[in-house]
Amino acid sequence: MSDAESPENSGSYSAENITVLEGLEAVRKRPGMYIGSTGPQGLHHLVYEVVDNSVDEAMAGHCSAIEVIIHSDGSAEVRDDGRGIPTGEHPQYEGMSAAEVVMTVLHAGGKFGGGGYKVSGGLHGVGISVVNALSEKVEVEIDREGSRHFMDFKDGGNVSTKLEVRGDAPDGRTGTTVRFWPDGTIFEETDFRAQTLLDRFQMMAFLNRGLKIRFRDDRREDPHEDANEDGWIEFHYEGGIIDFVRHVNQSKEALFAKVGYYEVIEEEQEVEIAFQWNTGFNSDGLHSFANGITTGGGGMHETGFRTALTRTLNAYGHAKNFLKDSESLTGDDAREGLTAIISVRLQDPQFEGQTKDKLGNVSVRSMVEKATNEKLAEWLEENPAEGKAIINKAIAAQRAREAARAARDTIRNKTALDGAGMPEKLKDCSSKDPRERELFIVEGDSAGGSAIQARDPKTMAILPIRGKILNVERARLDKMLKNNEVQTLIQAIGAGIGDEFDINEIRYHKIILLADADVDGSHIRTLLLTFFFRQMRELVENQHVYIAQPPLYSTTVGKSKKYLKDDREKDDFLEQHPNHKKDFQRLKGLGEMQWQELAETTMNPGDRTLLQVSVEQAAIADEVFSTLMGEDVARRKHFIQTNAKDVRFLDI
Ligand code: 0RA
């Protein structure tokens, strides 16, 4: 492509070029429409969008490795060894290379020109041009047909250098490299969070068997603990979703060693499922995906699987006389302790619901249902010892469920009898509007006392809880409901528990965990988060759960005491006060603070910092919670020691 003939240089401006710029301008005007938000999630979507294009190349069989680098200048680079974006002139756009079209035309992606992909991921399917629109600079390098091509863009997709050849592609290599600098005038912040990216890449590697995804963070001075000597962290799973199930179950105790697997490939859609039961009591270990995208809201693939699972286990149990004719298992019984990954791929996925995370294609339901009816039945016949263990486990689940129902009725009656039904320990607030009401869950009675004095009684309620609440990962619902601290929590929040939890009934829109900044505090925080994640999932999903951040250090300036939130604030303070003696006290507990200080540093809305808890990748979070809460004490200890401050599922 010769520069002299390009429209910019000849001064003529074709109609197509104008449409192009209008398209990208629309993205810059309303970024939320294209990437969801301009917060951290939207920012990270830019990386996913580029990586998804490379994964599409991989799914089409042309790419085996993807490398992602966060550079020290904050830019992100995605490099693949695919065919390379086509470099010839585009048939419909005068004077533009196909690569320029891909980079500047909305929805152009890899789908034009007939040679498109059978199925394609892409969270919103918006295409790489959206990344261009929302970046202050983008550089593209394409190795294709023996040459290395280059072009770049500035200020939201304006061509800066048109596509040109810059020498030979090394060793006849093919592939695409896209490096972008997110636009600081569009995003609230432009700092990528490595763990958020890593969680996503690991999930993609599990879902695309054999694909290598490598990540390097050049902003770091000291290496990541999982990185090799060159700084790369690599995800690569030859077992695909079988490895995914092993990963989710690794800190759980498996009911049997095997991971079951089956797949069905039809003309226009396909499904693969991997599964294993563990000895735990959760019945939410089902994780589903469509075209490599999490479908947290479930949908047709999950419905088909659930129906067939329950039906198949009942049929098997009856045929083998493990179940009496009069007995039958419910879906919850069948799923207790089950970890399963369902991954479907289809041509035109319909993502429904408010959060667009529910698969609506009806044809998928019958495919998954039929596949499971046939293949799971076969698997049970071939694995009789496992089959028997699964049915016995489901029967035990059924008995416990009946006991839990009785315990729940007791709590409900108790609530009805105790006047307003609120636990004695709760110091409630006076506002009647749940949207402004906040519940502080405070560890220990003495800290609870200070918090009561420090609060704004109109909007802040205090619930002191003592010691360690029950470890919910290891207890069944019936046992859990007998625990006093658990009962108190359920009553205070007021929206039920488990299947009966109703988010519309919550009495507070902010549930704030207030515990010491030490290892014990971290443990109790994790117990509470696990409890919410397992028993009041919507509370976490709808981002009602927060973590208060009491300061880590104090020091004295003249006569007054100064609190510093963390090491960074301490360093900043030392920079501003170069002559300050280095006499910092490390605060051990909330109990050491005066109530006025607790108010000023940790509770007052104007002064405090709260971490909002969210769960982005439920399947990965599942493993994290199990690590934290499971039987494997050594793993947990290691995890808490290395992650005490940076709890991985926090999205900040
Ligand atoms: C359009 C058509 C083809 C490939 C691609 C785009 C493509 C895009 C990206 C983005 C990142 N990596 C990519 N790799 C490929 C088909 C190419 C052909 O038919 O040769």
Side-chain angles (χ1 to χ4, degrees):
M1 169 138 316
S2 130
D3 271 348
E5 283 153 23
S6 70
E8 270 90 355
N9 292 345
S10 64
S12 89
Y13 222 69
S14 68
E16 293 90 356
N17 293 108
I18 291 166
T19 339
V20 166
L21 287 175
E22 281 173 353
L24 295 192
E25 196 44 45
V27 179
R28 289 177 67 79
K29 272 209 186 99
R30 308 184 67 183
M33 292 247 310
Y34 299 86
I35 53 161
S37 78
T38 53
Q41 289 208 348
L43 176 74
H44 289 86
H45 280 169
L46 297 185
V47 181
Y48 308 153
E49 194 57 54
V50 183
V51 173
D52 282 348
N53 279 278
S54 301
V55 172
D56 282 349
E57 271 293 280
M59 275 161 53
H62 301 291
C63 160
S64 68
I66 301 169
E67 292 179 353
V68 181
I69 301 170
I70 304 300
H71 288 278
S72 46
D73 65 0
S75 63
E77 175 177 323
V78 180
R79 181 178 178 80
D80 69 43
D81 60 354
R83 288 168 294 182
I85 308 179
T87 48
E89 174 152 357
H90 193 278
Q92 272 117 51
Y93 291 83
E94 209 188 301
M96 282 167 78
S97 62
E100 187 179 329
V101 174
V102 169
M103 293 305 299
T104 55
V105 178
L106 288 183
H107 302 288
K111 290 190 181 127
F112 62 82
Y117 304 109
K118 189 173 147 211
V119 293
S120 162
L123 196 51
H124 300 270
V126 289
I128 211 164
S129 57
V130 167
V131 177
N132 201 6
L134 301 177
S135 295
E136 57 189 50
K137 184 160 115 170
V138 175
E139 293 178 353
V140 184
E141 183 185 275
I142 300 167
D143 287 334
R144 198 177 154 100
E145 288 160 17
S147 298
R148 172 158 287 182
H149 307 72
F150 177 87
M151 71 179 148
D152 64 4
F153 303 85
K154 63 170 195 286
D155 304 331
N158 295 291
V159 180
S160 179
T161 314
K162 278 186 86 77
L163 192 71
E164 63 186 28
V165 170
R166 292 193 175 173
D168 294 343
D171 312 320
R173 175 191 186 275
T174 63
T176 307
T177 306
V178 174
R179 179 169 175 184
F180 66 94
W181 286 255
D183 192 329
T185 64
I186 296 223
F187 291 96
E188 289 159 24
E189 49 171 311
T190 53
D191 266 351
F192 292 107
R193 181 169 173 268
Q195 193 59 53
T196 301
L197 297 171
L198 283 166
D199 282 352
R200 168 96 180 189
F201 298 155
Q202 181 173 34
M203 188 191 87
M204 291 173 129
F206 278 130
L207 293 173
N208 294 282
R209 175 172 53 215
L211 175 67
K212 294 189 183 104
I213 307 184
R214 272 191 285 274
F215 175 79
R216 207 176 72 204
D217 187 351
D218 286 352
R219 297 168 305 181
R220 291 182 73 108
E221 280 165 18
D222 42 304
H224 189 289
E225 68 167 317
D226 297 331
N228 71 11
E229 55 192 28
D230 299 319
W232 292 105
I233 298 172
E234 180 172 291
F235 300 113
H236 175 211
Y237 302 104
E238 282 304 341
I241 62 170
I242 295 178
D243 291 342
F244 201 166
V245 167
R246 285 203 197 285
H247 172 80
V248 174
N249 267 349
Q250 72 184 347
S251 42
K252 302 178 165 114
E253 188 191 347
L255 192 62
F256 42 80
K258 267 183 209 161
V259 174
Y261 177 85
Y262 50 89
E263 66 178 340
V264 166
I265 299 173
E266 293 180 354
E267 191 82 3
E268 292 193 335
Q269 51 181 16
E270 54 191 68
V271 58
E272 54 170 345
I273 295 180
F275 60 92
Q276 185 185 47
W277 271 262
N278 59 64
T279 58
F281 308 124
N282 300 311
S283 39
D284 56 4
L286 188 59
H287 302 289
S288 67
F289 304 85
N291 292 4
I293 298 161
T294 322
T295 37
M300 291 299 165
H301 47 353
E302 282 196 20
T303 307
F305 176 77
R306 285 164 189 256
T307 309
L309 174 74
T310 312
R311 193 201 142 273
T312 304
L313 289 191
N314 273 305
Y316 179 78
H318 286 132
K320 303 286 171 203
N321 288 322
F322 297 138
L323 288 171
K324 295 195 199 91
D325 284 349
S326 60
E327 285 177 317
S328 76
L329 303 166
T330 66
D332 282 327
D333 302 333
R335 287 192 307 276
E336 191 187 271
L338 170 67
T339 297
I341 303 289
I342 305 176
S343 171
V344 300
R345 299 196 186 273
L346 64 159
Q347 204 130 124
D348 186 19
Q350 303 293 309
F351 294 105
E352 299 179 340
Q354 221 172 26
T355 41
K356 298 269 173 270
D357 63 348
K358 190 171 173 189
L359 185 66
N361 304 62
V362 178
S363 67
V364 170
R365 185 181 61 206
S366 40
M367 169 182 64
V368 176
E369 193 172 328
K370 187 157 168 281
T372 304
N373 278 333
E374 288 172 20
K375 307 264 177 164
L376 181 61
E378 271 171 42
W379 189 88
L380 291 167
E381 286 300 334
E382 285 162 17
N383 297 280
E386 286 78 3
K388 186 172 179 182
I390 294 167
I391 302 292
N392 281 338
K393 164 106 181 127
I395 292 172
Q398 186 163 52
R399 304 217 168 106
R401 201 170 313 283
E402 273 151 23
R405 190 167 305 130
R408 199 146 48 191
D409 288 347
T410 318
I411 295 192
R412 210 179 286 120
N413 291 341
K414 215 161 130 189
T415 311
L417 290 177
D418 294 352
M422 282 304 124
E424 225 174 285
K425 297 207 291 182
L426 175 72
K427 265 278 174 277
D428 217 343
C429 52
S430 60
S431 163
K432 296 277 173 275
D433 181 358
R435 284 171 304 180
E436 65 169 3
R437 288 162 57 89
E438 304 179 341
L439 178 65
F440 281 81
I441 302 174
V442 187
E443 176 199 11
D445 283 341
S446 70
S450 311
I452 290 170
Q453 286 182 289
R455 74 181 177 144
D456 170 356
K458 176 161 180 259
T459 57
M460 298 176 177
I462 308 293
L463 181 66
I465 61 168
R466 205 175 310 170
K468 306 273 154 88
I469 65 163
L470 193 68
N471 185 343
V472 290
E473 182 77 10
R474 284 187 279 175
R476 249 191 190 119
L477 195 56
D478 57 327
K479 192 169 153 215
M480 205 187 309
L481 290 174
K482 295 204 177 95
N483 178 281
N484 259 328
E485 305 294 329
V486 169
Q487 289 188 5
T488 308
L489 271 173
I490 302 167
Q491 286 175 275
I493 294 170
I497 184 172
D499 302 340
E500 290 182 358
F501 182 76
D502 181 0
I503 191 79
N504 300 310
E505 293 288 311
I506 53 172
R507 300 176 62 246
Y508 310 90
H509 275 211
K510 286 199 172 76
I511 311 281
I512 302 169
L513 315 186
L514 177 55
D516 290 341
D518 59 7
V519 175
D520 277 352
S522 151
H523 190 203
I524 195 144
R525 239 185 332 266
T526 319
L527 286 165
L528 284 165
L529 285 175
T530 308
F531 174 73
F532 292 135
F533 183 73
R534 295 286 180 219
Q535 298 299 335
M536 302 185 182
R537 172 85 48 106
E538 274 182 280
L539 206 58
V540 184
E541 283 174 349
N542 293 5
Q543 310 202 320
H544 292 297
V545 181
Y546 297 79
I547 295 175
Q549 288 195 289
L552 266 188
Y553 302 102
S554 70
T555 190
T556 33
V557 189
K559 273 188 186 147
S560 66
K561 204 159 184 178
K562 173 117 183 84
Y563 286 95
L564 301 160
K565 201 178 76 191
D566 51 21
D567 288 302
R568 190 200 266 172
E569 275 197 4
K570 190 175 114 189
D571 294 343
D572 288 351
F573 178 85
L574 275 177
E575 226 165 79
Q576 285 158 22
H577 303 80
N579 297 321
H580 189 78
K581 290 200 289 3
K582 294 199 169 113
D583 57 345
F584 294 95
Q585 281 81 51
R586 210 187 149 88
L587 292 168
K588 286 206 198 63
L590 297 165
E592 289 177 26
M593 260 188 270
Q594 301 289 324
W595 68 263
Q596 293 89 341
E597 295 163 344
L598 184 63
E600 280 166 26
T601 59
T602 315
M603 291 176 69
N604 282 355
D607 307 314
R608 71 192 183 188
T609 357
L610 297 179
L611 294 182
Q612 190 173 36
V613 178
S614 80
V615 181
E616 270 193 279
Q617 307 299 344
I620 302 287
D622 189 336
E623 194 275 326
V624 172
F625 281 112
S626 295
T627 299
L628 289 169
M629 296 295 107
E631 310 277 355
D632 190 340
V633 179
R635 250 182 81 78
R636 175 168 74 232
K637 211 161 166 191
H638 172 77
F639 188 96
I640 292 180
Q641 278 163 359
T642 51
N643 292 279
K645 274 182 288 160
D646 173 30
V647 185
R648 287 203 312 188
F649 43 84
L650 295 181
D651 177 31
I652 29 176

